[in-house]
């Protein structure tokens, strides 16, 4: 069973902020040095290792920011939005949260970068505030993806506990639509005994009770490598009732007759592996075509069931090529050199 460290709700700014603070606090408690390396690179641009406190919904008379990360020598005030609906007056009021800290940062967080015209208007007001109040407050705007990339840079799979937590935070961000272009993410998932069946039937299946997070590609992992990738075109939920296959469309278009035949064939073959697809409802992730590749996991540590890759990051392009071309680019490469 997959363990979730972050609760899944409908997108609400306070919940998303709370889970982000939870992720950061877990990283800090796990390894303060790694936390400050990430924080310095992403936000502070300084060399500092103070003790931190994590506080949600901190308020004074004028302002209620979503969260505050603070310490005597510096303070980071956090404001989270989901649809780039930042308010100029709200951000200006947040400036009153700063006092005599050596380093002062207003961090704005959103699934997408702040709109440039708004960013520029706020920067003018911030410069005026700093001059009038003899302050040196910095404004840093990042996306949830920026935050994930910064943590990926300092966390590797040798950090087994925090690595699993980061993977679930990525999963949570996808689930809550905090990462744009979800269709450009690849989920590597273990496929041992069923690998050839997955290739033959162009589908992967998993119990419906486990749920799933939207993503665009499946990578079949076995023998310490992603050996095939496929682009998801539809997801079908199916189970037998009274000796009849009952199915419904979860995502995409309704299944074609040959796809229903493939689901029935997968259910039939599952008895060879001791799986009960007939009586237990499963989601069937149907791909356009699984393309073989050899994307190697060079480190000695096993994959803990799944791992998410942002293909736009590892391929360094916003426009993804065909599945065949992606498989060709990744073929012979290691995870470590591409991340």
């Amino acid at each position: 069973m997959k363990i979730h460290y972050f609760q899944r709700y409908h997108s609400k700014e306070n919940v998303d902020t709370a889970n982000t603070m939870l992720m950061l606090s877990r990283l800090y408690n796990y390894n303060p040095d790694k936390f400050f390396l990430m924080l310095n690179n992403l936000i502070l641009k300084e060399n500092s290792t103070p003790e931190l406190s994590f506080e949600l919904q901190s308020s004074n008379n004028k302002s209620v920011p979503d969260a505050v990360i603070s310490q005597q020598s510096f303070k980071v005030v956090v404001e989270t939005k989901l649809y780039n609906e930042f308010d100029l007056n709200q951000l200006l009021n947040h400036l009153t949260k700063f006092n005599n800290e050596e380093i002062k940062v207003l961090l704005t967080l959103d699934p997408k970068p702040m709109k440039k015209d708004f960013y520029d208007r706020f920067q003018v007001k911030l410069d005026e505030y700093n001059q009038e109040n003899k302050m040196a407050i910095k404004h840093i705007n990042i996306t949830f993806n920026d935050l994930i990339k910064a943590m990926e840079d300092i966390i590797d799979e040798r950090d087994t506990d925090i690595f699993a937590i980061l993977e679930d935070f990525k999963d949570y961000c996808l689930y809550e639509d905090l990462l744009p272009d979800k269709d450009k993410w690849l989920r590597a998932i273990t496929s041992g005994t069923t690998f050839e069946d997955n290739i033959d039937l162009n589908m992967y299946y998993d119990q419906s009770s486990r749920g799933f997070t939207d993503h665009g590609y499946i990578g079949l992992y076995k023998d310490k490598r992603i050996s095939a990738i496929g682009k998801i075109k539809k997801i079908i939920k199916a189970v037998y009732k009274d000796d009849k296959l009952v199915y419904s469309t979860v995502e995409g278009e309704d299944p074609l007759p040959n796809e229903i035949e493939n689901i029935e064939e997968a259910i039939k073959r599952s008895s060879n592996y001791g799986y009960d697809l007939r009586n237990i409802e499963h989601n069937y992730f149907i791909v356009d075509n699984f393309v073989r590749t050899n994307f190697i996991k060079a480190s000695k540590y096993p994959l803990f069931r799944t791992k998410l890759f942002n293909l736009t990051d590892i391929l360094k392009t916003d426009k993804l090529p065909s599945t065949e071309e992606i498989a060709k680019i990744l073929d012979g490469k290691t995870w470590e050199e591409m991340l």
Side-chain angles (χ1 to χ4, degrees), residues 2-97:
K2 179 177 175 59
I3 297 174
H4 288 305
Y5 300 90
F6 303 93
Q7 293 297 318
R8 271 65 174 163
Y9 298 105
H10 294 295
S11 291
K12 296 179 180 179
E13 290 166 10
N14 59 335
V15 175
D16 296 328
T17 304
N19 280 337
T20 301
M21 292 301 105
L22 177 59
M23 177 69 241
L24 292 174
S25 64
R26 283 179 177 269
L27 175 57
Y28 173 70
N29 290 328
Y30 177 76
N31 190 318
D33 289 339
K34 284 182 179 283
F35 174 85
F36 281 107
L37 179 60
M38 181 276 297
L39 197 65
N40 290 335
N41 291 337
L42 182 65
I43 300 172
L44 299 180
K45 313 298 182 183
E46 302 282 349
N47 184 16
S48 177
T49 56
E51 293 293 324
L52 289 186
S53 65
F54 294 81
E55 184 179 356
L56 292 172
Q57 294 290 340
S58 173
S59 65
N60 60 17
N61 292 333
K62 293 185 177 181
S63 168
V64 185
D66 292 323
V68 172
I69 307 171
S70 64
Q71 192 272 343
Q72 186 176 2
S73 67
F74 81 86
K75 181 181 285 186
V76 179
V77 173
V78 181
E79 179 61 40
T80 304
K81 295 296 181 187
L82 301 182
Y83 308 104
N84 238 281
E85 295 176 342
F86 292 103
D87 180 85
L88 189 63
N89 289 329
Q90 183 186 42
L91 294 183
L92 290 172
N93 285 335
H94 287 346
L95 302 182
T96 63
K97 294 293 294 182

Side-chain angles (χ1 to χ4, degrees), residues 17 34 54 57 85 106 150 175 186 238 248 294 317 326 337:
T17 304
K34 284 182 179 283
F54 294 81
Q57 294 290 340
E85 295 176 342
L106 174 61
Y175 181 87
L186 165 73
S248 61
N294 186 32
T317 178
I326 295 172
E337 70 180 296

Side-chain angles (χ1 to χ4, degrees), residues 171 175 187 208 210-215 235 250-251 283 285:
D171 191 279
Y175 181 87
R187 182 184 294 276
S208 299
R210 291 175 177 158
F212 69 92
T213 302
D214 285 346
H215 53 285
I235 303 172
V250 179
E251 281 196 6
N283 286 325
F285 300 80

Side-chain angles (χ1 to χ4, degrees), residues 182-235:
K182 294 192 293 185
D183 59 332
K184 296 179 181 178
W185 284 74
L186 165 73
R187 182 184 294 276
I189 192 160
T190 53
S191 174
T193 54
T194 64
F195 176 77
E196 292 299 335
D197 288 346
N198 297 143
I199 296 288
D200 183 36
L201 301 174
N202 282 316
M203 69 172 60
Y204 178 86
Y205 50 79
D206 197 12
Q207 287 188 29
S208 299
S209 60
R210 291 175 177 158
F212 69 92
T213 302
D214 285 346
H215 53 285
Y217 296 80
I218 287 178
L220 299 179
Y221 172 92
K222 64 172 295 188
D223 300 330
K224 294 199 65 188
R225 67 200 66 226
I226 293 175
S227 296
I229 62 174
K231 185 175 183 179
I232 299 171
K233 63 179 182 178
K234 60 187 70 172
I235 303 172

